[in-house]
Amino acid sequence: MQFHLKFGDPLKFSCQALIVGCFEDDLSEPLFKRVDHSLGGYLESLYRQHEFSGKQNKTRIIPTLGKLSAERIVVVGLGKKKELSTERIRQAAGTAIQAMRDTRIKSCASLLHLLEKGSRSLQGTVEGMILGGYAFQQYKSKKEDYGGIEDVAMFFPAGAKKDGLDKALIEARTLCEAVLFARDMVSHPGNVATPAFLAEKAVEMSARYGIACQVLEREEMERNSMEALLAVARGSRQPPRFIILEYLAAGEKVRPTVLVGKGITFDSGGISLKPREGMEKMKDDMAGGAAVIGTVMAAAALKLPVNLIGLVPAAENLPGGGAYKPGDVIKSMSGQTIEIVNTDAEGRMILCDALHYAQRYKPAALIDMATLTGACVVALGSFASGMMGNDEGVKRAIREAAQESGERVWELPLWEDYGELMKSDIADMKNAGGPEAGTISAAWFLKNFVGKSRWVHLDIAGTAWMDKDRPYMPKGATGIGVRLLIEYLKGVARG
Ligand code: BES
Ligand code: ZN
Ligand code: ZN
């Protein structure tokens, strides 16, 4: 998808479609009015006849029959005027792109980026379009002949400052590239996206951006006593990897932000085997790891002045002959012992060693992302990631970044009382509680391994994969976390 910044009157521009937004409660928005005027008031009459409501993310494609230079108008609902936000614009842009897919339109012009002042709606529009137009087709032997929208013209008033707009456009595209990179990794099937594959992707990416990348293999993990991670990996013939990315751009004195991402490339549950229904979806269990690699990529590509470490413990959870078993007691890298009661609670096992490893960086903040619990999907669905942590400041900053990026988070409590659920008779703790408060007991487990770090855990089990199209998240991998964490890191960079 190519974006072309243009200056002048968009209504005089010849293209296949012109995208215009429409509020549900106000038809006086100037851009809408101008388009409607050219069509002799047709849009307003459709609205009056309840053929189009302006409700959020409703669309209608209308041929212009020569009354405008564009062949069609794509009207997108923006919802209530008072509720307009960058996120609404992002969604409208994504919705428009998906609507045009059916009509096989290749070139369009957008008016959505003019709805808010400044460059934010430009970025929102670009993000919505690139992310909404994503399709993963690497495993189809017949390529689709329609490759989606190729050209998007974005008009600005003559005399607008081009440099600032160019910069905003490049920034948005760069960020989206990292999101799509993460989505691709998650979309690949488990037989391809193994721990070694993830490590390879991280190495390739780091070479491209001049970032330091180190990959620990089994022997080094053994030397580091990462027994919790190794315990999970032993059930599979795929050897584990521990990926370490270091992007340092803020000077030696600045303590880094450390990101940790769950990299289970397939989660069968292990000996505590999952039910067969829907098990194929468990290839997305490395979405946290993909988000971490994608975030480091975006930070480097955007040249954010931050110190950033990305850690991805990667393994496959299978019930092979060497697999860890219920009843086993594992001594984690931190020295704390864990009684295994459910081998399907493997994410926290690989994360606990990574979180302990993270301590050597003396993190300014430690943030982990993981498709950790089915309970989180029950609690929040696919509309928000679960957030828990031990530091109000980091949680607040994440909440603000969530608001800005549209990647919503919702906090669950992490009271010490929940530790009750994880008590073991034989070891320091169990790796799983009962059916109650599954998302919280998982976070409580992780908390034991973060030392004194200011730490936030994000459970993305419900947000990493969409079963249905969303405006800028087509069905499938979402790349969740990259935009959220970059927004957070921008805040870190501002100080
Ligand atoms: N990867 C799963 C969590 C998951 C479930 C993500 C559904 C997305 C959709 C995780 O490893 C897991 O199996 N968790 C268990 C924990 C339980 C055994 C304490 C779960 O949620 O059932
Ligand atoms: Zn599991
Ligand atoms: Zn898992």
Side-chain angles (χ1 to χ4, degrees), residues 348-389:
R348 60 198 78 181
M349 297 295 289
I350 68 168
L351 289 170
C352 76
D353 280 350
L355 290 169
H356 179 75
Y357 187 91
Q359 302 310 311
R360 68 181 57 193
Y361 296 100
K362 301 199 169 30
L366 174 56
I367 302 169
D368 78 77
M369 288 209 131
T371 45
L372 203 63
T373 64
C376 193
V377 190
V378 175
L380 301 174
S382 59
F383 296 97
S385 303
M387 173 170 80
M388 287 137 282

Side-chain angles (χ1 to χ4, degrees), residues 229-296:
L229 168 53
L230 286 163
V232 174
R234 284 196 187 104
S236 167
R237 285 166 68 164
Q238 290 296 340
R241 294 285 188 270
F242 190 86
I243 304 164
I244 304 165
L245 289 160
E246 299 188 359
Y247 166 69
L248 304 172
E252 275 171 31
K253 293 209 184 84
V254 180
R255 285 163 66 182
T257 302
V258 181
L259 307 178
V260 175
K262 172 175 174 182
I264 293 290
T265 57
F266 183 70
D267 182 10
S268 71
I271 299 290
S272 314
L273 197 65
K274 283 183 180 297
R276 60 188 170 206
E277 222 64 56
M279 202 202 276
E280 70 280 0
K281 234 212 73 196
M282 280 299 128
K283 70 170 184 178
D284 82 352
D285 216 16
M286 34 60 76
V292 167
I293 300 171
T295 303
V296 177

Side-chain angles (χ1 to χ4, degrees), residues 298-354:
L302 293 168
K303 301 195 167 66
L304 292 187
V306 294
N307 285 344
L308 182 63
I309 307 291
L311 303 177
V312 181
E316 189 177 55
N317 188 23
L318 289 192
Y324 73 144
K325 310 174 292 296
D328 287 1
V329 174
I330 310 286
K331 188 169 182 180
S332 69
M333 184 183 181
S334 74
Q336 296 174 88
T337 55
I338 304 160
E339 178 194 2
I340 305 305
V341 295
N342 193 325
T343 63
D344 198 8
E346 84 298 338
R348 60 198 78 181
M349 297 295 289
I350 68 168
L351 289 170
C352 76
D353 280 350

Side-chain angles (χ1 to χ4, degrees), residues 39 57 81 92 130 140 147 171 193 198 220 228 247 255 264 270 296 319 367 412 416 428 434:
L39 294 176
N57 302 325
K81 186 173 183 185
I130 298 179
K140 299 269 190 194
E171 249 186 62
L198 276 193
E220 284 142 300
Y247 166 69
R255 285 163 66 182
I264 293 290
V296 177
I367 302 169
L412 301 174
E416 202 42 46
D428 297 337

Side-chain angles (χ1 to χ4, degrees), residues 414-488:
L414 191 50
W415 298 307
E416 202 42 46
D417 310 52
Y418 287 101
E420 200 62 39
L421 304 170
M422 304 297 275
K423 277 199 174 139
S424 163
D425 292 332
I426 184 171
D428 297 337
M429 67 195 91
K430 296 192 292 190
N431 80 326
E436 287 172 30
T439 304
I440 300 174
S441 60
W444 182 92
F445 178 96
L446 297 179
K447 193 169 94 157
N448 290 289
F449 299 88
V450 303
K452 290 199 166 64
S453 298
R454 301 163 68 200
W455 159 76
V456 164
H457 158 63
L458 296 166
D459 193 328
I460 57 168
T463 49
W465 188 273
M466 290 299 150
D467 293 326
K468 277 195 245 150
D469 286 340
R470 288 278 167 79
Y472 59 87
M473 290 183 179
K475 202 164 109 176
T478 60
I480 204 87
V482 177
R483 290 189 311 108
L484 172 69
L485 291 173
I486 287 297
E487 200 56 53
Y488 170 81

